[in-house]
Amino acid sequence: MHKVFVNTAVQLAGRVLSIGIGLFTLRLTATYLGVDVYGEYSIVLAVASTTVIVAELGVTSILAREISKYPEDADSLGGMLFRFRLVTVVPAVLILAALIPFLPYNHDTKLALLVSLPGVAALILGSFPNAFFQANLRLEYVAGLDVGARVLGLAAIVLVRLLNLGLTGYVAVVASSYLITCIATYVLSGSFWRINTSFDWERAKPLIRSAVGVGFAATIGLLVYRGDAILLSLLKTPRDVGIYTVAYRFVDQAFLLPGMFIATVFPIMTRTLHTDMAAAQRVINRVFEFLVLAGIATTLFVYTLAPFLVQLVAGDGFHAAAHPLRILSLAIPLLFASPVFYNVLLARDWQRDLVLIGILLLIWDVSTNLVLIPRYGYNGAAVATIATQAFGLIIMFVAARRREPFRIDWTFLVRAAGAVAPAVLVVYLLRSQSQWEAFVAAELAFSVAGILSGAVRRADLRRLIARATG
């Protein structure tokens, strides 16, 4: 696990920088476009990201899994799945282009979607080499590329503001930055494979079948994750979408931590699940405990500082986003914990379970959003997110536990609840005081209570201090 934490720490440093650049870019974008036009831009992002995940078809995840098991076959595995990726890009972009005229958005939004198509293609192709970085535990490359992409994004909005290019111009410049990042990703990945398109149908067929299964599950998962914004764009105004997108941006940024950690630990989880169940159980429990604690600490940060965070990154026009942000913050521990069990199923090739779970979650999510959005708008969408993530965590755990004989240390959750209670009390007592006082006091109460209750392992703290001082 030492290498996992080192990789995660390196990524975390890069991602902290990326988040800082990204949030500054958000402020420049939101204050330049305004609430309504930023809502239109948010619609473009939602539709484009949905297309990217659909076209990705789970190829990157399957490639990372297979390279982790058969590192000596990286070139041939990469070649087969790279050809499949190339085949899927053009149809995905053409289908989106054909659908744009029929989408229920205004002319400017449709034009921006059309301009975004080259960027969509670049994003689809650019995610492929990440499998090599992940399987070789060289995720500092991913972090570095992310920082580079954020710098390009910042340069894009600065250029657009200087030249006053408007929404369509901004989308065009951002799409160009995606193309640059895509090229850089392939250049860096050359250290881990020989870029090729060799293809053996008999060997590729089961991989493609698995990839399509994972991709279908991921697509459904994305619709669950992004469905609230899409439904909000159909049922409410672009202004509502803009406010909700600003609030949700913090959830997106917070989710980077479990994403990094799981990406690092996935090869280890895959190997131990196939070779040593006792070791796999230790890995699963440690990852679950770390992510739950990190999720709670993040929730306290976002909830207590919500008004300040919105003001910082979006300005006065978006102050209404503070309330849905506080609601959404309660879903963060659920979002952090769910990937543990998702990746257990993925590592063991239980794609059918993931598809079924995704379908159930999609039905649940659409139903709750259709009930809550018409009446409560973006606040209703935020509540629906909590309900969906709670339901998803439960059924994901049940499915993983049914397939694999691991056990979760439930006493940890009791200890974690004991650590949360004083933090919640502090937030309640200081609710009318300074946001910063509430934040510092709540995090301090959670940390001290976590150590005293045993939710935070003292042995881990001692190792952390020893590394920091050594």
Side-chain angles (χ1 to χ4, degrees):
M1 291 294 287
H2 172 67
K3 195 170 185 179
V4 171
F5 282 103
V6 170
N7 265 262
T8 303
V10 171
Q11 290 182 82
L12 184 58
R15 291 301 173 92
V16 168
L17 180 58
S18 293
I19 289 172
I21 298 171
L23 293 179
F24 183 52
T25 303
L26 171 59
R27 182 175 179 86
L28 293 179
T29 305
T31 53
Y32 172 67
L33 296 178
V35 180
D36 292 329
V37 180
Y38 183 77
E40 295 173 9
Y41 177 62
S42 300
I43 292 171
V44 174
L45 290 179
V47 174
S49 63
T50 301
T51 304
V52 170
I53 294 297
V54 171
E56 208 279 337
L57 283 174
V59 169
T60 304
S61 296
I62 293 302
L63 179 58
R65 187 190 72 189
E66 294 302 308
I67 296 174
S68 298
K69 292 192 292 186
Y70 311 110
E72 68 279 3
D73 292 337
D75 283 351
S76 59
L77 289 167
M80 287 185 287
L81 290 177
F82 183 51
R83 177 181 286 194
F84 180 61
R85 170 58 57 81
L86 291 174
V87 169
T88 64
V89 170
V90 175
V93 173
L94 291 179
I95 290 171
L96 176 56
L99 289 175
I100 288 173
F102 304 100
L103 296 175
Y105 304 128
N106 62 36
H107 173 75
D108 290 342
T109 304
K110 290 180 180 180
L111 180 60
L113 277 168
L114 189 63
V115 171
S116 74
L117 293 179
V120 170
L123 286 172
I124 296 169
L125 289 172
S127 64
F128 182 83
N130 289 339
F132 296 96
F133 304 144
Q134 181 179 351
N136 289 280
L137 292 180
R138 296 302 302 273
L139 291 171
E140 69 273 16
Y141 285 1
V142 177
L145 286 164
D146 186 49
V147 171
R150 298 301 179 108
V151 171
L152 289 174
L154 176 58
I157 186 58
V158 171
L159 177 65
V160 168
R161 288 178 68 116
L162 288 174
L163 300 179
N164 195 24
L165 299 178
L167 174 62
T168 304
Y170 181 43
V171 172
V173 176
V174 169
S176 300
S177 74
Y178 292 157
L179 289 171
I180 295 171
T181 303
C182 177
I183 294 170
T185 304
Y186 279 90
V187 170
L188 285 176
S189 73
S191 301
F192 306 102
W193 71 306
R194 179 181 57 84
I195 299 176
N196 67 94
T197 57
S198 60
F199 198 79
D200 178 349
W201 174 245
E202 289 304 316
R203 190 179 181 191
K205 184 164 59 175
L207 299 179
I208 293 173
R209 187 184 301 117
S210 294
V212 171
V214 171
F216 186 60
T219 299
I220 296 173
L222 176 73
L223 292 175
V224 172
Y225 191 62
R226 298 290 190 188
D228 46 4
I230 294 174
L231 287 172
L232 199 60
S233 74
L234 299 174
L235 298 172
K236 294 292 183 177
T237 66
R239 181 181 183 85
D240 292 283
V241 179
I243 289 172
Y244 187 72
T245 300
V246 167
Y248 210 93
R249 180 62 63 90
F250 292 96
V251 178
D252 280 335
Q253 301 293 352
F255 195 62
L256 290 174
L257 176 60
M260 290 186 302
F261 195 68
I262 288 292
T264 304
V265 82
F266 180 72
I268 299 173
M269 186 182 293
T270 299
R271 285 192 289 270
T272 55
L273 280 168
H274 283 85
T275 60
D276 186 346
M277 195 59 223
Q281 180 166 297
R282 289 193 297 271
V283 171
I284 292 168
N285 272 277
R286 296 297 296 279
V287 173
F288 176 73
E289 292 172 9
F290 172 77
L291 291 179
V292 168
L293 293 173
I296 294 170
T298 305
T299 291
L300 292 172
F301 168 73
V302 175
Y303 186 91
T304 53
L305 296 180
F308 166 78
L309 294 173
V310 170
Q311 172 66 29
L312 177 67
V313 304
D316 295 329
F318 291 84
H319 66 274
H323 190 59
L325 175 56
R326 277 183 162 158
I327 298 172
L328 286 167
S329 71
L330 303 179
I332 291 176
L334 306 172
L335 279 165
F336 274 38
S338 293
V340 178
F341 308 117
Y342 174 92
N343 280 274
V344 169
L345 292 170
L346 178 61
R348 292 292 284 157
D349 207 19
W350 294 111
Q351 275 79 242
R352 290 183 180 179
D353 289 42
L354 294 175
V355 171
L356 178 59
I357 289 169
I359 292 172
L360 290 174
L361 277 177
L362 183 60
I363 293 171
W364 175 274
D365 186 61
V366 171
S367 300
T368 53
N369 274 291
L370 288 177
V371 169
L372 294 172
I373 287 177
R375 185 170 181 181
Y376 301 106
Y378 44 73
N379 290 323
V383 173
T385 295
I386 296 175
T388 298
Q389 294 305 323
F391 181 55
L393 176 58
I394 292 170
I395 61 176
M396 201 82 70
F397 167 74
V398 170
R401 183 66 183 82
R402 186 169 65 89
R403 293 294 191 182
E404 297 296 333
F406 67 86
R407 295 180 180 179
I408 291 293
D409 180 9
W410 296 112
T411 62
F412 161 75
L413 292 180
V414 176
R415 298 192 298 271
V420 169
V424 172
L425 179 61
V426 165
V427 172
Y428 175 77
L429 293 176
L430 298 180
R431 65 190 183 281
S432 60
Q433 304 298 316
S434 162
Q435 299 171 49
W436 287 97
E437 289 179 10
F439 161 63
V440 172
E443 294 287 6
L444 183 60
F446 175 63
S447 301
V448 172
I451 295 172
L452 294 177
S453 68
V456 177
R457 299 172 186 265
R458 299 187 183 188
D460 289 342
L461 282 177
R462 285 194 292 269
R463 279 194 293 268
L464 184 62
I465 293 170
R467 289 169 187 161
T469 57

